[in-house]
C-alpha cells in the first residue's frame, strides 16, 4: 500500500504503511496534514521529489513500482510493555491495545504463533504488552523496512517463499488412468 497521487493543483496524497521514522521525516516537509477520509498524508506538490526520496529510503520504492515483499517470523527478545500505543515492527502492528482492560490484538497480516499479548497498566497509563519469547508470523512485509526496524524488540527470520513449491492436494495419476477416467465420464 504505497502510492502518491495528485490532489488538486497544489497537493499530493501520500499513502504508506505506518512507519514512525518515515512519517516523522514526511511531516517536516512544509505544511503536512493527515487526511482521515483518504487515509494518507497531504503534502505540498513542491516536495514531491523529497517524498519520493523518503519512500525509497524507508520502503524501497518511490511508489512508481512495487517494493520487494517478504514474510517473516519474529520473536520478542524480552517482555515488551509499550505505553499507550501499539507495538510496531517493520511497519506492521504486531500487537495493539486501546485501554487497560481491552486486551490486545494482532494487526493486519500478523498471526500470534506462540506466547501471549495483553493490555495492562493503569486506567490512565495503559500499555500494550507482549510476553518474552512470543512468536509471530508477519505477512507481506516490505523488505526495506527491516533495515530500519528496531531489532532490540524482536529477532526475526525471513521465511522461504512457498510459491511454485506447494504440493498438489490431488492424487497423482498416470496419463493412462486420466484417459480412462475421461472416457468413463464420456468427456472424450
Amino acid at each position: 500500500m504505497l502510492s502518491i497521487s495528485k490532489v488538486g493543483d497544489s497537493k499530493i496524497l501520500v499513502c504508506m504503511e505506518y512507519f514512525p521514522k518515515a512519517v516523522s521525516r514526511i511531516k517536516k516537509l512544509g505544511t503536512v496534514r493527515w487526511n482521515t477520509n483518504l487515509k494518507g498524508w497531504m503534502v505540498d506538490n513542491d516536495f514531491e521529489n523529497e517524498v519520493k526520496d523518503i519512500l525509497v529510503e524507508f520502503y524501497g520504492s518511490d511508489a512508481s513500482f512495487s517494493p520487494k515483499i517478504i514474510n517473516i517470523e519474529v520473536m520478542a527478545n524480552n517482555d515488551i510493555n509499550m505505553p499507550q500505543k501499539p507495538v510496531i515492527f517493520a511497519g506492521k502492528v504486531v500487537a495493539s491495545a486501546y485501554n487497560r482492560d481491552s486486551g490486545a490484538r494482532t494487526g493486519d497480516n500478523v498471526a500470534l504463533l506462540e506466547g501471549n499479548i495483553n493490555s495492562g497498566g493503569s486506567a490512565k497509563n495503559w500499555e500494550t504488552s507482549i510476553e518474552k519469547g512470543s512468536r509471530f508470523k508477519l505477512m507481506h512485509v516490505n523488505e526495506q523496512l527491516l533495515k530500519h526496524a528496531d531489532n532490540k524488540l524482536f529477532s526475526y527470520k525471513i521465511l522461504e517463499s512457498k510459491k511454485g513449491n506447494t504440493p498438489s492436494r490431488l492424487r497423482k495419476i498416470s496419463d493412462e488412468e486420466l484417459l480412462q477416467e475421461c472416457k468413463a465420464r464420456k468427456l472424450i
Side-chain angles (χ1 to χ4, degrees):
M1 168 191 111
L2 190 62
S3 67
I4 298 175
S5 31
K6 301 273 185 202
V7 178
D9 293 334
S10 63
K11 297 283 185 189
I12 57 173
L13 175 69
V14 182
C15 297
M16 59 194 187
E17 282 188 284
Y18 180 73
F19 191 71
K21 292 177 186 175
V23 170
S24 175
R25 293 266 305 277
I26 285 178
K27 287 167 88 176
K28 295 176 183 173
L29 300 175
T31 306
V32 177
R33 298 281 180 258
W34 175 254
N35 185 309
T36 52
N37 294 330
L38 299 175
K39 296 189 183 343
W41 295 99
M42 300 296 291
V43 182
D44 295 331
N45 273 348
D46 298 336
F47 299 108
E48 184 171 359
N49 289 334
E50 288 79 2
V51 166
K52 287 181 177 183
D53 290 343
I54 292 167
L55 295 180
V56 167
E57 179 183 345
F58 288 98
Y59 298 92
S61 171
D62 64 1
S64 64
F65 60 93
S66 296
K68 184 171 181 188
I69 302 299
I70 59 173
N71 301 323
I72 62 174
E73 186 175 304
V74 301
M75 185 173 72
N77 294 328
N78 295 296
D79 286 338
I80 300 169
N81 297 302
M82 192 65 66
Q84 299 181 326
K85 61 183 178 181
V87 177
I88 297 173
F89 184 77
K92 295 289 183 188
V93 174
V94 178
S96 64
Y98 300 99
N99 62 49
R100 176 189 66 187
D101 301 318
S102 68
R105 294 187 175 137
T106 58
D108 291 340
N109 298 307
V110 175
L112 175 63
L113 303 176
E114 180 181 336
N116 290 306
I117 60 175
N118 211 338
S119 59
S122 66
K124 271 188 158 179
N125 297 305
W126 58 270
E127 56 193 20
T128 303
S129 302
I130 298 177
E131 181 181 85
K132 178 181 179 179
S134 294
R135 290 183 324 119
F136 300 85
K137 185 174 185 179
L138 281 62
M139 304 296 293
H140 314 293
V141 175
N142 183 315
E143 186 178 47
Q144 186 74 12
L145 289 178
L146 283 176
K147 295 177 182 177
H148 300 282
D150 182 356
N151 291 334
K152 292 178 222 145
L153 295 178
F154 296 96
S155 52
Y156 70 88
K157 67 178 179 180
I158 297 173
L159 300 174
E160 295 289 324
S161 174
K162 303 265 187 201
K163 287 186 179 178
N165 296 337
T166 306
S168 171
R169 292 183 180 159
L170 300 175
R171 179 177 68 89
K172 300 252 187 233
I173 61 171
S174 68
D175 290 343
E176 189 174 300
E177 290 175 302
L178 181 61
L179 284 171
Q180 287 176 352
E181 183 64 28
C182 287
K183 286 178 184 174
R185 294 183 183 199
K186 298 181 181 179
L187 298 172
I188 54 171

